[in-house]
Amino acid sequence: MSGFGELSGKKALITGGGRGIGRAIALEFAAAGADVAINYVGSADEAQETAAACEKLGVKAVIIPADVSNADEVAAMFGQALTELGRLDILVNNAGITRDALLLRLSDDDYDKVLAVNLRGAFLCMRQAAKIMLKQRAGRIISLSSVVALRGNAGQVNYAASKAGLIGMTKSLARELAGRGVTVNALAPGFIQTAMTDAIPEAARQQMLAGIPMGRMGQPEDVAAAAHFLASDAAAYITGQVLRVDGGMAM
Ligand code: NAP
């Protein structure tokens, strides 16, 4: 755990929390004492394993299946999270997908699917969370953007648009909720070692590594530490921020 302080007694929902960066965030929060709701859409076994690992750290962990791009499933997920955890202090919009192709080969379907999961999914979850957090007059919303939102990336017109959209959404909602004790921030990871980046061909991987001043990929735990900071009391006066976790890639 990173040591930004206790999240003891806090309740967090992490979309796509069963594996990759979401899993690291669930474990980081659990290690800090937060109960966690771990959302997944296809990887039930990984979600179950993550929940078991969180429970070993002494907190309550539940798994909730839902496609974040589906409004009914998102509403049901928040209902279940509230029933099982009792309240909701932290939402992490982590669920995300890629469907990479150069523009001329990018299909309507792959454009729509990426925007639906990455951007509409975050919108649907933010709307549910805001309803709860406004009443509490407290809460933290953290969304996973990306350095490609800041710099662009050939072959990722759809993904970069979704991640740049998340930044606009984050800053707008930060302004809407700032007076009510709810902070809204984004993380912009660089090149982090997960299944998402394992799929990148070796030549492209070497090219990306060459563009990272620190000379190495990040680990999911590097992103989880930043999420912990934004969720902690130490970040109480930070809202509308985009925090890069990228080894210097996008400066
Ligand atoms: P990953 O290993 O591919 O994991 C993606 C996660 O998203 C999985 O838990 C998956 O759940 C979930 N997910 C996908 N579609 C979903 C849907 N419709 N509803 C609910 N959950 C869904 O990716 P990652 O590398 O950990 O990335 C996590 C986040 O960080 C993403 O938003 C990604 O864009 C962002 N990010 C990653 C990097 C990087 O270098 N890895 C860099 C910048 C930003 P299932 O397993 O159940 O399918």
Side-chain angles (χ1 to χ4, degrees), residues 162-174:
S162 73
K163 295 298 180 180
L166 259 181
I167 292 177
M169 204 178 266
T170 293
K171 291 182 177 181
S172 300
L173 188 61

Side-chain angles (χ1 to χ4, degrees), residues 35-125:
D35 292 340
V36 289
I38 295 160
N39 155 254
Y40 67 96
V41 68
S43 312
D45 289 349
E46 279 97 333
Q48 194 55 64
E49 280 164 25
T50 304
C54 289
E55 281 186 331
K56 272 200 183 141
L57 295 166
V59 300
K60 181 170 182 177
V62 298
I63 63 169
I64 308 181
D67 176 349
V68 294
S69 66
N70 180 306
D72 292 339
E73 293 185 26
V74 167
M77 170 172 74
F78 276 81
Q80 191 180 338
L82 270 188
T83 305
E84 304 222 36
L85 300 182
R87 55 181 278 133
L88 186 70
D89 303 290
I90 306 160
L91 164 67
V92 182
N93 284 313
N94 167 80
I97 58 168
T98 52
R99 295 282 186 277
D100 296 352
L102 294 171
L103 179 72
L104 295 186
R105 290 196 205 116
L106 183 59
S107 69
D108 295 3
D109 243 27
D110 284 347
Y111 177 83
D112 289 344
K113 184 71 184 154
V114 167
L115 270 289
V117 173
N118 297 6
L119 193 56
R120 184 170 198 269
F123 154 67
L124 294 172
C125 291

